[in-house]
Every structure is written in C-alpha cells, then in structure tokens.
C-alpha cells in the first residue's frame, strides 16, 4: 500500500462529500422534492444533520420512567384483579380512568363512594406506586374520593405520588362543558388538600383533546402551554403561592409513532415550560410530564399492528423525557381490553427499560443535530401558537370563540387528505391490509353510549376510521351473501410485467374490503373477457407496464366493458392514453398519491351491488 497519511487514504466525512454522492444518485433529480420533507407544522426535515451543541434543559429525575396502566373496568372488583395483575407483572403506576371521562371510551371505573374505590384498590399499596386520576367532569369528586380513601387507610397525602388530573379547560375542549366553576373549585380543592399535607399535582394540562382532533405537534404544545399558564394564573389569583402553583401543575402529551417528532415534542415541552418559569421569576424545575400513546393512530383492523405503533411511541416518549407512560392496549379500539392485551402494554415498556436500557441516559437526544434542530423548531412554532392564543384572550376565550377549533379543523382536513391519498400510511388499514385477519378477544363488557358534546367540543377521531367503515360494509356483504365484494385483476402480459402493479392493486382494493381475483395474465382481449365473465366480478382493474398499456390497454378495456364490467380501473397513470382509455370504458386510475378512499368508496358500492 502506498505510504500516505491516514487522513489522505480515508478523508473525513463532510457534508460537501455527502452532497456530491447524493447528486450522483439523484442524477439531476430535485433534492428538495426527493429528500426534504416537512412536518404538519411546516417544519423542514432534512435528510442529514450535523452534530449540534447540546441545549441544557430540565429533565426527569435519574432512573426509568414509570410504567402506568389504565384502570378502566367498570366493575370495581374486576378492576382490582386487573390492577393487581399489572402491578405484580411489573407496572409501578396506575391511571384511574373513571366512567364518563372522554378517555374512558365508553367504559371506565364506576366508583361513586369510598367503598367502591377501596374495592378497586384493595391490596394496592398507594405509597409505593404512582397514581393519576382521569375523571373528566367528575374530577373534583374523584379527587375527594381518593383523599377519603387515604384518610380511611391512615395514609398521609404527602406520602403519595399523586396527580389529581383536574383539567377543566381540557374538559371544555373535549366535551364543551364550561370551565369557569371547575377552575375555581380546583383552586379551592388544592387549598384543602395542601392543608392536609398534599404535595402532589392537582392540575393537568392535557394534550389529548387537541391531538385527537387532528392538531399538529406545535398546535398541541401551544394549547397545552396556554392551558398550563391559565392554571398558573388561576391558582395564583386564588391565593396560592406562585411556586406552589407551579408545582401543582403537570402536563400530559400524546406520543405517536413518529419517533423523531415525538422525542422532539417532549423535549420542547420542558424547554417551553422553563421559559414560562423564568418569565415568572422562578428557578426552573423539572416538569411532571406524563405520556399516553395516541388514540388517533389505533386501528380496529389488524390490531396487532397497534403493538408496533404503541411500542415505538412509548420508546419515543421515554427517550424524550416522560416521567410516566401509559401505553394503550392494542385492542382498545375494539372494546375493553383483557388481561393479555394489558400484559403486552406493560411488557413492551419493561423490555424497553430493563432489556434495551433506554432509560439509562437522561437525555439521549442531546447534541444530535436532528433532535436539537427539531426540538428548537417545535419550541419556536409552539411559542408562536401560544402567543396567538394569548392575543385571543387566553385558551378559554379562544375555545369559546372557536378560534382554536378552527385552526385545528384546518389541520385535520390536511391530515384527512393525507390519509385518503396514503401519504400518511396506516399499516393494517390503508397499507398491507389483511382480509383474513385473525380475530382478537376483548372483555364481554358493553360500552356506554357516548355523552352528548357541546358546540365548543373538539371531535375525537382515529385516522383509520374511513377505511374501517369500508371494511365494515364488506363484512356485511360477506355475512349476507357468503362472499366479499371482488375486483377482477385484468393482468396483461407475463407475470414479470404485471406483478408489481397487480400486487399494488390487490393491496389497495383490500384496504376497502374488496377481494382481488388474480390470474396468470392475458394477451388476447377475448380470453380476458371470457375469464372476467366467469369470475362473477362487477369491476375490473387493468394491471401491467406502461409499455404494454400503450399497445394493449385500450383493447382490453373495450373487451371488459363489452363483457359487462361496471367499473374499469387502471393501475398506474394514463399519460397520453387518458382520452382513449376513457372512451374505451376506463372509469378511474389507481396510483400512488391518488385519492384512494374516494376510489374505494365508488368501487365498493358497485362491487357490493352486483
């Protein structure tokens, strides 16, 4: 080997060298369109970042985050059995979800007196676990029940790691119920609790109502920050010391499957709150930051994919600095989760903490260019959103006037379009659907009817709902006729030519519950038409290469139309053939970026009517 310096043989990696290699791969392609993306807030996301200087910010105390399990079974005795199994199985915190709370999803603990609450928490040593209450409009009642239970057991309130979860503003956002009286009652309750030795958190600024309505990361942060500031002002105005008011506030953020933005969001929340503390003349302290995995990302179809999403979300929340994480059981969208689903929810966190050791570093994202940049960008976006809410008179005034709801509605419309076009993919629903999915079990407990929402209420949606509605229609057709709606794949040419688009089409139609009828391909239009007629399908989809479309697609479409096809689709874009294909009977094009929901709705209606 030539005797040259090491640096000459192996020159250091630089952005310029990397860009040169990228240009060679792109071969003139647009760097911005191919490699740069943007978040829902319009934040630029680069393909490569250089190292950054770590930004000091308050983080959670050293050690792992708490593993919190939902206690949401309506029957106190059954809830107790589930709680004990969770705690014995490795959880160290409980979230008491009371009936009537928006997050109860039609279930929730039915505990209206101390006896019922004692039954639900029998054998649970409260001083050894974290406890968060999630009661919605019943927040004051639930807090007083816990206080009475502690007194009956002779346990000091100051010895409990307790979050009362009072969130009258979040209740207004989620249900439309007014919050004025709730905030004054919460301040009075905190005074009573403090007199009894309470040192925990009374108020919770909850991001779930905004996230479930379609808010971006920045919008969720802005709403949460505005809520926390409103509570800080309200508690101080009610006579609480400013430092105690600060310590009485906790935050809950939603963790979803976008690991980069989730980590950055949690880090940005701590940075934003430290800025508020400094503005108040307070020395920043670590914020009590709760996390719950996203309801809007959960699917009823292929629910096992929810395990992947919630695990990724949990890891992201933990890496972002959450103090406690509640992972939604993977079957929650289908009903009240059983012991197995709850076990998976807690075990995924145990593996992340005990085996993957993700909690050993206080802030693992510190100094990483991507995370530092995203964190700062999100913090700036959220602060601008917070200031806009403040100019509107604060979070209560903004909600009452509908300003915040209007901005979130625009975000929801953009996201809805992204779901329809599969730019935002939903594994198991819009991507890689399974018409033969394995059923899962949930507890045989009926869900209560949803409470009527007021005019100011934000909607709560799961992203997969439009695709699930199509699948439900398909299931109903299967139950009544013994077969699913079907699409005949009009494959043109040999397998090597049509296979890619045939597979693409089969998966796309399955997202709407339409079964694809495959074959080995055709060259002659007569054979194609004969096989289509024998299939009994009402709709067909041409699948092949662009080159073969140019010579065979028009004749194939004419043959299918003559054979009685009510709808004819083509997998791909038509190019210059559009007019000729339309004339031959093609009614739509199935391609990446197209409105798949609209296409599936029309196709399913035709196929199911056959």
């Amino acid at each position: 080997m030539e005797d040259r310096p090491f640096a000459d043989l192996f020159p250091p990696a630089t952005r310029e060298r990397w860009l040169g290699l990228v240009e060679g791969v792109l071969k003139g392609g647009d760097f911005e369109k191919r490699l740069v993306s943007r978040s829902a807030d319009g934040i630029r996301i680069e393909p490569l970042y250089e190292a950054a200087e770590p930004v000091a910010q308050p983080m959670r105390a050293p050690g792992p985050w708490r593993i919190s399990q939902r206690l949401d079974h309506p029957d106190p005795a059954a809830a107790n059995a589930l709680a004990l199994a969770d705690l014995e199985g490795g959880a160290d915190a409980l979230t008491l979800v009371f009936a009537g709370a928006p997050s109860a999803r039609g279930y929730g603990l039915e505990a209206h007196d101390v006896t019922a609450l004692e039954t639900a928490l029998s054998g649970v040593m409260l001083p050894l676990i974290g406890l968060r209450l999630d009661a919605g409009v019943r927040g004051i009642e639930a807090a007083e029940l816990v206080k009475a239970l502690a007194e009956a057991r002779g346990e000091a309130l100051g010895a409990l790691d307790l979050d009362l979860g009072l969130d009258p503003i979040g209740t207004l956002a989620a249900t439309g119920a007014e919050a004025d009286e709730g905030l004054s009652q919460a301040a009075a309750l905190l005074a009573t609790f403090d007199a009894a030795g309470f040192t925990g958190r009374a108020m919770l600024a909850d991001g779930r109502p905004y996230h479930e309505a379609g808010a971006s990361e920045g919008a969720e942060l802005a709403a949460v920050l505005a809520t926390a500031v409103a509570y800080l002002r309200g508690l101080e105005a009610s006579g609480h010391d400013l430092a105690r008011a600060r310590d009485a506030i906790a935050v809950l953020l939603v963790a979803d499957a976008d690991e980069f933005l989730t980590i950055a969001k949690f880090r940005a929340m701590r940075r934003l709150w430290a800025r508020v503390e400094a503005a108040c003349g307070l020395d920043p302290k670590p914020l009590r930051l709760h996390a719950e995995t996203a309801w809007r990302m959960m699917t009823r179809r292929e629910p096992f994919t929810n395990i992947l999403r919630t695990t990724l979300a949990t890891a992201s929340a933990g890496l972002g600095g959450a103090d406690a994480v509640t992972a939604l059981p993977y079957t929650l969208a289908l009903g009240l989760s059983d012991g197995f689903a709850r076990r998976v929810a807690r075990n995924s966190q145990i593996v992340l903490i005990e085996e993957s050791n993700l909690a050993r570093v206080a802030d693992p994202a510190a100094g990483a260019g991507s995370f530092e940049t995203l964190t700062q960008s999100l913090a700036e976006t959220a602060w601008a959103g917070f200031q806009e809410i403040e100019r509107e008179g604060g979070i209560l005034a903004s909600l009452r006037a509908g300003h915040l709801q209007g901005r979130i509605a625009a975000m929801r419309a953009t996201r809805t379009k992204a779901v329809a076009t599969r730019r935002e993919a939903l594994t198991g629903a819009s991507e890689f659907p399974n018409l033969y999915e394995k059923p899962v079990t949930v507890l045989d407990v009926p869900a209560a009817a949803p409470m009527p929402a007021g005019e100011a209420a934000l909607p709560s949606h799961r992203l997969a709902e439009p695709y699930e509605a199509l699948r439900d229609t398909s299931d109903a057709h299967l139950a009544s006729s013994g077969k699913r709606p079907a699409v005949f794949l009009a494959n043109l040419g040999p397998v090597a030519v049509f296979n890619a688009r045939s597979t693409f089409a089969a998966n796309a139609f399955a997202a709407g519950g339409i079964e694809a009828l495959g074959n080995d391909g055709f060259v002659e239009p007569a054979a194609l038409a004969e096989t289509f007629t024998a299939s009994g399908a009402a709709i067909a989809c041409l699948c092949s290469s662009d080159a073969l479309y140019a010579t065979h697609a028009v004749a194939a479409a004419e043959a299918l139309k003559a054979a009685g096809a009510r709808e004819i689709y083509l997998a791909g874009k038509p190019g210059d053939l559009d007019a000729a294909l339309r004339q031959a009977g093609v009614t739509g094009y199935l391609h990446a970026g197209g409105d798949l929901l609209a296409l599936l709705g029309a196709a399913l209606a035709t196929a199911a009517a056959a």
Side-chain angles (χ1 to χ4, degrees), residues 225-597:
L225 185 63
T227 300
V229 168
Y231 291 154
L232 189 64
R233 290 171 176 154
L235 292 177
E236 185 187 26
S238 298
H240 292 279
D241 177 77
L242 184 59
R244 175 59 185 129
R246 181 267 310 275
D247 294 342
I249 298 171
V251 162
L252 188 154
L253 294 180
V254 178
D256 63 28
D258 188 321
E259 68 273 29
F260 280 81
L261 286 173
T262 296
I263 292 171
K265 180 170 72 173
F266 277 76
R267 298 179 80 241
M269 185 68 242
R270 291 192 179 278
R271 195 171 297 182
L272 290 163
W273 186 242
R275 184 172 181 178
V276 169
E277 291 173 298
C280 294
L282 298 170
D283 291 331
K285 293 174 61 177
L287 171 71
R288 173 55 65 95
L289 184 54
H290 296 277
E292 184 170 288
T293 58
W295 171 249
R296 81 181 183 196
M297 72 178 180
M298 301 291 278
T299 63
R300 288 172 48 224
R301 299 293 177 164
E302 280 290 272
F304 292 107
T305 61
N306 290 327
I307 299 174
L308 303 177
R309 283 184 279 266
T310 55
T311 301
L312 186 55
T314 297
S316 302
L319 292 171
D323 293 290
V325 181
T326 303
L328 300 183
Y330 73 96
T331 58
L332 188 59
L334 292 163
L336 191 59
S337 301
D338 62 7
F340 178 75
R342 297 173 67 90
R343 177 184 175 188
V344 171
R346 69 175 185 266
N347 280 2
S348 62
Q349 297 201 57
I350 292 171
V351 169
L352 293 172
I353 293 172
E354 300 294 340
E355 296 187 24
S356 301
N357 294 298
L358 295 191
R360 288 192 177 273
V361 179
D363 187 11
S370 57
F371 289 112
E372 292 292 4
T373 302
L374 288 175
T375 298
Q376 185 60 28
S377 297
L378 267 180
E380 292 171 357
T381 299
W383 189 260
F386 163 68
Q387 290 179 313
E388 184 172 15
I389 293 172
E390 290 290 284
R391 287 193 295 270
E392 293 166 349
I395 185 78
L396 275 174
S398 182
L399 286 170
R400 287 172 180 154
H403 297 315
L404 184 55
Q405 294 94 320
R407 291 193 291 273
I408 293 177
M411 298 174 191
R412 182 170 63 253
T414 300
R415 192 177 299 275
T416 297
K417 182 178 180 180
V419 169
T421 59
R422 296 196 292 181
R423 295 186 186 278
E424 184 162 344
L426 306 173
T427 303
S430 65
E431 297 280 4
F432 308 108
N434 181 8
L435 292 179
Y436 314 102
E437 59 185 328
K438 180 181 178 180
V440 297
T441 59
V442 294
L443 296 177
D444 187 17
V445 178
M451 299 289 290
E455 292 184 4
L458 287 164
S460 174
H461 292 303
R462 290 180 299 103
L463 297 176
E465 287 175 3
Y467 289 98
E468 292 168 354
L470 297 174
R471 293 286 298 274
D472 290 344
T473 300
S474 173
D475 286 352
H477 187 271
L478 174 64
S480 63
S481 68
K483 60 181 181 180
R484 288 197 181 278
V487 57
F488 177 80
L489 299 183
N491 299 321
L492 305 180
V495 172
V497 172
F498 69 72
N499 187 60
R501 277 179 169 154
S502 179
T503 301
F504 171 81
N507 277 284
F509 281 106
I514 302 173
E515 184 178 14
L517 307 179
N519 47 72
D520 294 332
F522 302 90
V523 175
E524 296 298 329
L528 171 65
E530 182 180 355
T531 307
F532 167 75
T533 301
S535 73
I539 63 176
C541 182
L542 294 163
C543 301
S544 192
S545 65
D546 290 343
L548 209 56
Y549 283 157
T551 56
H552 289 70
V554 171
E558 290 173 340
L560 290 169
K561 184 178 181 180
R566 300 182 188 179
E567 298 281 351
I568 303 172
Y569 300 96
L570 181 138
K573 294 183 178 181
D576 296 335
L577 292 174
D578 182 43
L581 288 170
R582 294 284 186 182
Q583 181 66 30
V586 173
T587 53
Y589 302 106
L590 178 63
H591 57 83
D595 190 336
L596 180 62
L597 275 175

Side-chain angles (χ1 to χ4, degrees), residues 11-177:
T14 63
R15 183 174 182 82
E16 289 68 28
R17 287 186 60 210
W18 177 80
L19 285 172
L21 294 172
V22 168
E23 290 174 1
V25 173
L26 290 178
K27 297 178 180 178
D30 192 313
F31 178 90
E32 292 288 325
K33 291 183 178 180
R34 298 285 294 274
L35 295 178
V36 176
S37 62
R38 293 189 179 273
S39 74
D41 291 299
I43 295 173
R44 182 184 176 90
I45 301 176
E46 297 275 2
L48 181 70
Y49 292 85
E50 297 180 6
E53 285 296 322
V55 177
Q57 60 186 45
M59 294 299 292
R60 70 164 180 263
W65 63 85
R66 282 195 180 274
I67 301 171
S68 184
Q69 290 284 89
R70 289 166 56 93
L71 196 60
D72 55 356
H73 197 296
D75 179 68
N80 177 251
L82 293 170
L84 292 178
D86 286 329
L87 295 173
E88 292 169 0
D92 57 357
L94 293 174
T95 297
L96 269 58
V97 183
F98 286 79
S103 63
R105 317 295 175 193
Y107 303 99
L109 180 65
E110 293 283 0
H112 298 273
D113 53 42
V114 176
T115 300
L117 189 59
E118 173 61 51
T119 299
L121 295 175
S122 177
V124 176
M125 293 178 281
L126 297 181
L128 301 183
I129 68 168
L131 191 65
R132 176 169 65 86
L133 310 186
D134 190 345
V137 294
R138 294 179 56 201
I140 299 291
E141 174 192 352
E144 290 175 338
L145 284 177
V146 171
K147 181 174 180 288
L149 176 62
E151 291 172 347
R153 290 185 175 187
E155 296 172 345
L157 282 177
L160 304 184
D161 183 4
L162 177 59
D163 284 83
L164 302 180
L166 302 178
D167 186 22
I169 294 175
T171 299
L172 169 65
T175 68

